[in-house]
Amino acid sequence: MKKDTILVSTGRSKKYTGPAVNPNVARASTIVFDSLAEMAQAGLDKSYQFNGDSQATEYYGRRGTSTTFALNDAMCQLENAAGSYVYSCGTAAITSSLLSFLNAGDHLLMVDSVYEPTRDFCDGALMRLGIEVSYYDPMAGLNIENLVQENTRVIFLESPGSLTMEVQDVPSIVEVAKRRGIVTMIDNTFASPFNFKPLDLGVDISIHSATKYLNGHSDVMLGVASANQACWPQLRDRSYELGQCASVDDIYTTLRGVRTLGVRMREHDRNAMVIARWLRQHELVDRLLHPAFESCPGHENFKRDFSGGNGLFSFVLKHSNRRAIASMVDNMHHFKIGFSWGGFESLILPVGSAPARRTVAPWALESRLVRLHIGLEDTQDLIDDLSAGLERFREAL
Ligand SMILES: *Cc1c(COP(=O)(O)O)cnc(C)c1O
């Protein structure tokens, strides 16, 4: 089956939908039984089955209901995974995955361009738990082997990196990790399962903030982690120990988002390419950090491993000051000022000095980096908005 067909059919088996087209929203804190024998059958003896198994059994809400299992099944199919676990947000999926595979005294190799809250977790909770963390250059590739220690248990990737968009050489890092018996995890939020399938390249766990493109409508927070056969039982059991679960209403909404993921991704990609080409020739723009352009570090990896882009990219201004940035951004019509991304709407985010904590690649772009999320609006309206914004910027410089 081709990927667009999978998006339409996945997670829609009769046991989830009944006679309807979509899965039922099964809201439940508990499942009740007619007899003790039936309850025992359902698996209170710990033989309960999660998703990925044909007889997913529901009996207590936190473990999920049929709606949860429908999304789990869908994510397994989309990521070619043995099992998937849903969390209340992407950050919970990331932190739970890391906690599932790290113990006191272990060492974690974390990519330096990682999403800021992931870094907060490493420098906070993981440090307090006695887990050693070192950050590596997103462009490390095979050289990551020089950073591997006796106690390195996990290498965490995020590609492209948050804000600066470096595309990692995933196969090279996986090669090193496999040789050294290290678990690999990737934050695959940018690509969504539509444009990049890390498990096919040997990554053990692929993690998504479903808050972004999977749901795609800026109205839900949700996270998912999908693991291969080797890592699934541990991810499942430890995530369960941590009490992780998610609302079935949010899960249902995300499943609905999955149906249009392909249509939206292609449109975001197409629109973003139009805007990026326009920005590239603008005299106030120094360079684009968009994976489809050569000026983006790791562009070659992007061409080799990804089947497409999306609406998210950054650009670097030639000059900047806070006043000029505010004058540009404060008066935009279509680009709203905001974090997050992956919805239908365009967003603009000037990046001040937030990534100053990066340790490998020093941050030299003070107030010159602007991240855009290109939504589904008409591209001419977006260009007019940016054009006027850059004019205000120039006047305020
Ligand atoms: C937004 C985001 C997250 C966190 O997801 P939440 O659902 O907001 O917790 C993680 N990684 C990346 C790359 C993100 O953009």
Side-chain angles (χ1 to χ4, degrees):
M1 253 196 288
K2 298 283 194 290
K3 59 184 185 175
D4 286 285
T5 313
I6 293 176
L7 290 174
V8 167
S9 63
T10 194
R12 281 182 49 212
S13 75
K14 268 259 157 34
K15 67 182 169 187
Y16 303 134
T17 64
V21 173
N22 285 290
N24 296 315
V25 179
R27 289 193 197 86
S29 59
T30 190
I31 303 298
V32 291
F33 300 95
D34 287 338
S35 70
L36 287 176
E38 194 193 318
M39 185 186 224
Q41 186 69 29
L44 278 180
D45 54 0
K46 272 225 156 201
S47 65
Y48 62 84
Q49 305 284 308
F50 272 77
N51 56 275
D53 311 297
S54 51
Q55 314 120 19
T57 302
E58 42 182 297
Y59 62 92
Y60 192 75
R62 194 184 332 106
R63 294 193 174 102
T65 65
S66 57
T67 316
T68 320
F69 301 143
L71 180 61
N72 288 344
D73 277 4
M75 288 307 298
C76 286
Q77 196 178 1
L78 293 170
E79 285 281 15
N80 292 326
S84 297
Y85 207 102
V86 207
Y87 307 81
S88 57
C89 66
T91 305
I94 292 165
T95 59
S96 302
S97 298
L98 286 167
L99 283 175
S100 296
F101 289 86
L102 290 165
N103 297 305
D106 288 349
H107 175 238
L108 162 69
L109 274 171
M110 173 58 71
V111 66
D112 202 30
S113 51
V114 75
Y115 177 65
E116 192 85 353
T118 305
R119 191 181 202 103
D120 291 338
F121 177 72
C122 292
D123 296 349
L126 290 187
M127 293 290 197
R128 288 197 299 278
L129 291 169
I131 292 154
E132 202 186 332
V133 183
S134 35
Y135 293 92
Y136 67 92
D137 186 335
M139 293 292 91
L142 286 173
N143 291 332
I144 201 166
E145 186 135 30
N146 303 327
L147 303 173
V148 170
Q149 305 177 178
E150 278 307 307
N151 58 343
T152 307
R153 296 285 171 267
V154 174
I155 300 176
F156 192 99
L157 305 90
E158 179 183 318
S159 183
S162 276
L163 306 173
T164 40
M165 313 299 289
E166 300 91 340
V167 187
Q168 296 194 248
D169 183 355
V170 177
S172 294
I173 291 175
V174 166
E175 185 186 320
V176 172
K178 291 226 182 294
R179 193 156 57 225
R180 306 293 290 260
I182 299 166
V183 169
T184 46
M185 306 176 182
I186 190 166
D187 183 331
N188 194 29
T189 302
F190 176 91
S192 88
F194 192 69
N195 282 331
F196 183 45
K197 296 194 192 292
L199 271 61
D200 289 357
L201 296 184
V203 175
D204 295 301
I205 300 177
S206 175
I207 305 167
H208 292 279
S209 167
T211 308
K212 311 292 165 55
Y213 284 122
L214 276 166
N215 177 65
H217 291 74
S218 303
D219 52 2
V220 156
M221 300 204 70
L222 201 75
V224 192
S226 302
N228 60 16
Q229 196 59 57
C231 288
W232 168 239
Q234 188 164 330
L235 178 73
R236 175 195 64 202
D237 294 345
R238 304 256 163 111
S239 296
Y240 164 72
E241 283 173 18
L242 290 167
Q244 293 292 359
C245 60
S247 140
V248 290
D249 293 291
D250 293 341
I251 290 170
Y252 176 84
T253 309
T254 299
L255 269 166
R256 188 162 67 175
V258 165
R259 308 303 166 206
T260 57
L261 180 64
V263 179
R264 287 184 287 111
M265 288 299 263
R266 274 189 289 260
E267 195 69 5
H268 282 291
D269 187 18
R270 200 182 61 83
N271 284 0
M273 290 299 287
V274 172
I275 307 291
R277 287 201 188 96
W278 178 83
L279 274 171
R280 185 170 56 165
Q281 51 72 46
H282 199 285
E283 56 185 343
L284 292 170
V285 174
D286 179 16
R287 66 180 188 277
L288 287 180
L289 297 174
H290 183 307
F293 290 80
E294 270 170 31
S295 50
C296 185
H299 166 68
E300 293 303 319
N301 299 328
F302 180 78
K303 277 203 303 195
R304 183 191 59 199
D305 298 336
F306 286 63
S307 56
N310 61 24
L312 193 72
F313 70 94
S314 299
F315 65 94
V316 181
L317 290 157
K318 281 190 181 141
H319 326 276
S320 187
N321 63 52
R322 281 164 185 267
R323 200 165 46 90
I325 285 277
S327 165
M328 168 169 76
V329 167
D330 288 356
N331 300 295
M332 305 288 274
H333 291 295
H334 305 297
F335 286 90
K336 303 298 177 196
I337 308 169
F339 295 103
S340 197
W341 47 273
F344 47 79
E345 81 287 12
S346 288
L347 294 168
I348 185 163
L349 181 71
V351 184
S353 55
R357 285 159 66 201
R358 290 187 185 184
T359 49
V360 177
W363 186 253
L365 299 172
E366 184 79 33
S367 295
R368 287 172 53 215
L369 185 73
V370 179
R371 187 180 74 180
L372 298 178
H373 176 255
I374 307 301
L376 304 176
E377 302 91 340
D378 185 276
T379 48
Q380 193 55 52
D381 287 336
L382 296 180
I383 287 175
D384 291 348
D385 204 15
L386 280 171
S387 180
L390 284 164
E391 215 33 62
R392 287 191 299 275
F393 174 86
R394 187 204 310 272
E395 282 159 20
L397 264 183

